[in-house]
Amino acid sequence: MEIKLLTLQTAQLETMKEFYTECLGFSLRGESPNAFQIQVGTSILEFIDENVAGTPYYHFAFNIPSNQFQEAKAWLKGKTTLLLEDGEDEADFSFWPAHACYFEDPSGNIVELIARYRENPMKESPFSVNHILNISEIGLVVKDAPKVGEQLKAINIFESDNEPITHSSLHFMQENKNGVFIILTSVGRRWLFSEKKSEIFPLKITLDKAVLGVNEQNEFFINNRL
């Protein structure tokens, strides 16, 4: 499973474009009056401002080289403010294993850089935005997580720990162990490194084999591409 294209809503299109391209240095892949796209390694991240209701926010993550976490963290710290959890500005996920750090963009998205030590390759040259590998995670917030979990299983996307899917937990859904996940959850779960809780907002996730997401009526949809 790869996230080819991730489409998210924003109420601050121009501010977001400036932040991601001028502050962080991502390459602008394309733009229109109501959208822009940036290249995130092998993935594309798109923000749109059509039919936006309220101030949507999401949690998503970028994979970085397995040997460059501290470099990447220092790079990020020079450009924006790192978020804290219990006074710490990084997370040690010993069970993956991985290290991660977080920031909030102008739309209030909780964005993560994560170095996965088993899955992510190494890089030898000094870290830059061009070393970001791909979109690693996207939080998929739905009304009925167990029901959506069954729909994901039908296209061979399974709970990574083979745990039953509940309304109250975060479930890391994946097809294979390549460090790319859809984080399935219901409303009201607090995102790490933030006081924000999971809410349903429209989004579209284009995978290598299917398109899925949440429509403007806050309903989950899934379409096989093949």
Side-chain angles (χ1 to χ4, degrees):
M1 185 179 78
E2 294 182 17
I3 299 172
K4 298 290 191 181
L5 171 65
L6 176 60
T7 302
L8 307 176
Q9 290 191 342
T10 178
Q12 301 186 59
L13 192 69
E14 286 302 315
T15 303
M16 288 283 280
K17 185 175 76 170
E18 180 180 343
F19 177 77
Y20 278 97
T21 61
E22 296 183 21
C23 178
L24 296 185
F26 285 96
S27 297
L28 186 65
R29 174 71 183 254
E31 62 179 321
S32 67
N34 296 105
F36 74 91
Q37 299 177 339
I38 57 170
Q39 193 73 45
V40 182
T42 59
S43 305
I44 297 170
L45 178 59
E46 178 179 51
F47 291 100
I48 62 173
D49 70 354
E50 291 182 287
N51 303 319
V52 174
T55 53
Y57 61 86
Y58 309 84
H59 165 63
F60 53 91
F62 301 150
N63 272 321
I64 59 173
S66 58
N67 62 323
Q68 292 192 315
F69 174 71
Q70 291 301 334
E71 267 191 81
K73 179 182 166 185
W75 169 85
L76 186 61
K77 202 170 184 178
K79 297 178 178 297
T80 190
T81 302
L82 298 185
L83 299 178
L84 303 179
E85 178 89 5
D86 296 329
E88 299 293 330
D89 63 5
E90 64 180 60
D92 179 2
F93 298 122
S94 57
F95 53 89
W96 283 122
H99 273 86
C101 58
Y102 297 73
F103 66 95
E104 189 171 292
D105 70 17
S107 281
N109 298 310
I110 303 106
V111 189
E112 175 184 358
L113 298 185
I114 183 164
R116 302 180 188 277
Y117 299 124
R118 289 177 184 155
E119 296 89 358
N120 295 2
M122 295 191 294
K123 296 274 188 180
E124 297 307 323
S125 54
F127 182 85
S128 75
V129 70
N130 296 320
H131 283 195
I132 293 176
L133 302 170
N134 56 17
I135 296 173
S136 168
E137 301 171 4
I138 174 60
L140 176 61
V141 187
V142 296
K143 297 175 182 177
D144 190 339
K147 180 180 177 181
V148 171
E150 291 301 314
Q151 292 176 269
L152 292 177
K153 286 179 187 177
I155 59 168
N156 296 317
I157 298 174
F158 297 96
E159 218 278 347
S160 59
D161 294 323
N162 296 314
E163 294 289 336
I165 295 172
T166 70
H167 290 282
S168 59
S169 297
L170 293 179
H171 296 281
F172 285 75
M173 311 293 292
Q174 65 178 163
E175 183 180 22
N176 46 42
K177 297 187 182 299
N178 66 341
V180 177
F181 300 88
I182 292 170
I183 305 178
L184 178 62
T185 191
S186 296
V187 173
R189 175 79 185 214
R190 185 181 73 85
W191 295 117
L192 274 180
F193 285 77
S194 174
E195 293 306 312
K196 292 181 175 178
K197 294 186 177 181
S198 54
E199 292 189 35
I200 301 175
F201 298 107
L203 80 165
K204 184 168 71 172
I205 308 164
T206 302
L207 305 175
D208 43 331
K209 63 179 180 179
V211 179
L212 55 95
V214 173
N215 63 23
E216 291 176 3
Q217 289 73 47
N218 287 346
E219 298 295 338
F220 176 74
F221 67 87
I222 185 167
N223 300 306
N224 291 335
R225 299 181 68 198
L226 302 179

